[in-house]
Amino acid sequence: MTQDEIIEMANKAGIVNPQMVINTLEAFAKLVAEHEREKSLKLWMLLDDIDTADDIAKTDHDTYRRLCRNTQQKRWAVLSESEVDAAIRARGQA
């Protein structure tokens, strides 16, 4: 949606200051983007931890599997199951 379309809709809705609506939407979009970047970074760090586990347990398969299991469980602290399901549906793969 373009800025002009937002202003037009705001005017139709009787909003006195359409620019305030645009500023609020832009601020909200920035917050959402930052939140998603933070989740991506946390997930990347978990992948890096699994790579580190490989370095730590080169000769011990059981230790590597234990470290990986412990690390991969932390993903649910970053993304909930419903968020994962929603993302899969949004990609049309559900």
Side-chain angles (χ1 to χ4, degrees):
M1 181 174 276
T2 67
Q3 188 170 358
D4 290 338
E5 291 171 328
I6 293 170
I7 290 172
E8 182 181 338
M9 288 180 69
N11 286 330
K12 285 180 183 177
I15 295 173
V16 177
N17 186 352
Q19 188 60 47
M20 185 178 74
V21 172
I22 292 170
N23 293 344
T24 302
L25 290 173
E26 288 174 350
F28 180 70
K30 287 178 184 176
L31 287 173
V32 169
E34 179 60 33
H35 182 70
E36 295 305 313
R37 276 192 298 274
E38 185 66 27
K39 284 183 178 183
S40 296
L41 177 59
K42 287 178 180 179
L43 290 171
W44 176 258
M45 291 168 59
L46 291 174
L47 289 172
D48 190 53
D49 289 348
I50 290 172
D51 183 55
T52 300
D54 183 48
D55 295 336
I56 291 170
K58 282 272 187 227
T59 59
D60 188 344
H61 184 70
D62 290 336
T63 298
Y64 174 70
R65 288 180 53 80
R66 182 178 43 79
L67 290 170
C68 286
R69 274 194 307 275
N70 291 342
T71 300
Q72 62 92 15
Q73 284 299 317
K74 295 175 185 177
R75 73 189 187 276
W76 299 117
V78 179
L79 289 172
S80 69
E81 187 173 348
S82 62
E83 288 174 302
V84 173
D85 290 344
I88 291 170
R89 280 193 306 278
R91 291 186 64 193
Q93 296 180 2

